[in-house]
Amino acid sequence: MSLDRLAPAVFVLLWSTGWVVAKYASLHSEPFTFLSIRYALSAAAFLALCLVVQAQWPSRGTALRAVYSGFFLHGFYLAGLWWAIANGVPAGISGIIAALQPLLTAIAAPFLIGERLQQAQKLGLALGFIGIAIAISPKLLDPATADLTHAALPLAINLVAMASVTYGTLYQKKHLQSGDLRTIATLQYIGALILTLPLSLIFEHQHFDGAAQAYGALAWSVFGLSMGGVGLLLYLIRRGQVSRAASLIYLMPPAVALEAFIAFGEPLTLPLIVGTVVVVTGVYLTNREAFSEQRPAEA
């Protein structure tokens, strides 16, 4: 089975664990501090890989574009998301905000990179969003999330974070279509570190308690998420329509719920099951052309 066929499923599996990692990490470290350590180690790990395989480094212009894209694709995105959740945005609300990314990507793509969707793909994106809304509806109706006036600023930051990763994804597709993905990823994490390290030094006390769970979360963040998940995301963006890659974000909340059921015994509700079916249908419609393009090669 080709990497093109396996990559989306593996990406969803890896990327969805980020929410579980964030839950553990928040118990042992401040968000900007944890992200700064993660980005520094991720850049070092990718650099070591580049040196071992003697990867070709990009030109100065491409290198600067890679650093710049890292500000948005990793730095602003996770810094804003983690800070918002730590300051009062409920997970259900954050999930629905994250689910706006594929729709925003599809809207912006024609203007920024000239990418246009077919009617079936537009329907798929809409179905995906509806499915997410159904899946997390019990959380949205929870009385604990009814009054969000106290979280106005965190909500705004959460929205900015979502817009940031959307812009970073489109910028990646437009300006970083050539060059070795390993060297580009190294530079992107340097860009993310340039953003989060000052935030940690200014607003936090660099708390990291050094517990085994903290190191476990950090190790998985670096090798499972930063190297595995992000590496596959960059590959998917380069290989196909950016809207198709973004549509996979719809699968994250259902995947996280299944992982929470397995790891923590959290119940799988009927809305979650129904919503997941709708989400999978929507993602299939968005990516159907890509799937059909692969079948002749497999025959």
Side-chain angles (χ1 to χ4, degrees), residues 62-115:
T62 301
L64 291 175
R65 286 191 287 271
V67 171
Y68 175 78
S69 69
F71 291 160
F72 300 94
L73 198 59
H74 308 311
F76 281 116
Y77 170 51
L78 286 183
L81 180 64
W82 281 38
W83 186 88
I85 292 176
N87 286 273
V89 176
I93 300 298
S94 182
I96 203 71
I97 290 174
L100 291 172
Q101 184 200 338
L103 289 177
L104 185 60
T105 301
I107 293 171
F111 301 99
L112 296 181
I113 60 175
E115 177 180 291

Side-chain angles (χ1 to χ4, degrees), residues 90-97 129-130 132-148:
I93 300 298
S94 182
I96 203 71
I97 290 174
F129 182 77
I130 293 170
I132 289 295
I134 294 172
I136 68 172
S137 58
K139 293 183 179 180
L140 295 177
L141 298 175
D142 190 328
T145 67
D147 182 13
L148 291 173

Side-chain angles (χ1 to χ4, degrees), residues 162-184:
M162 183 271 297
S164 172
V165 71
T166 302
Y167 172 73
T169 301
L170 292 168
Y171 186 91
Q172 170 86 22
K173 180 67 175 181
K174 183 175 182 179
H175 296 286
L176 296 169
Q177 275 296 92
S178 61
D180 194 304
L181 285 176
R182 293 163 294 194
T183 56
I184 288 174

